[in-house]
Amino acid sequence: MRIILLGPPGSGKGTQAIRLSRDYDLPHISTGDMLREAVSGKDRMAQKIKEIMESGALVPDEIIFSILEKRLKKEDTRKGFVLDGFPRNLEQARELDKILGDAGDFVVFDLVVGEDTVVRRLSKRRVCKKCRVNYHLEFQPPKIGGKCDECGFSLYQRDDDKPEAIKNRLKVYNKESRPLAEYYKERGSLISINAELDEEQVFASIREKLEK
Ligand code: AMP
């Protein structure tokens, strides 16, 4: 089962990817998480990537291809995988086809959500530093302030969840990533999901489509 999750920032890709990965026992491959780990170093390259991410722009394709290829080699992908945050543009979609060979073999979920919802979700999002579970200060607060319900680790606000970066991420999404839906639609692999609904309902509709 090769699953790709498309959708703007704040559409719930990360949350749904974690759930899919747990329920179907598939590796969760998030280029955003891999990059956040990679930029913890102090070297110039790490700092440069960090700046790009904080601005909401896309990290250059060559860097993404290199981290993705290394990760795919490490994971047992025989049962499939869940891709979260990749591909982000048409170049990356074509590269993925090249890496994997048989291009048609994907289920692509497009998480459809309006920009108002995105801003509302991202500006109050908090993320667990350890297990990456997402919270929302208003709609889904942690039981104990600032701590993850699942592992007790500290929650933090991503730098790119600040207002200026959110605006830029939406701009980048509309220009670079939105055309991907058409790309996969033409191959008959695209399934649109109403991601305005709450997490449970979105997950239920993804599951229902997968079980079919
Ligand atoms: P995400 O966690 O998926 O929202 O990604 C956070 C940031 O990491 C994005 O705003 C980009 O700066 C960078 N990023 C993640 N995935 C990609 C990708 N596939 N291509 C380029 N940049 C990416």
Side-chain angles (χ1 to χ4, degrees), residues 104-116:
D105 191 19
F106 295 115
V107 188
V108 183
F109 290 105
D110 186 20
L111 305 186
V112 181
V113 71
E115 293 201 356
D116 288 353

Side-chain angles (χ1 to χ4, degrees), residues 137-151:
L137 292 181
E138 219 173 294
F139 309 130
Q140 202 181 2
K143 291 189 187 111
I144 300 168
K147 300 275 179 226
C148 178
D149 291 351
E150 308 218 355
C151 70

Side-chain angles (χ1 to χ4, degrees), residues 31-32 35-36 52-53 56-59 64 85-86 88 92 158 160 169:
T31 42
L35 287 167
R36 277 182 286 279
I52 296 175
M53 290 173 74
L58 292 187
V59 172
I64 301 291
F86 183 93
R88 272 293 221 281
Q92 295 184 5
R158 284 171 42 171
D160 59 353
R169 285 161 77 198

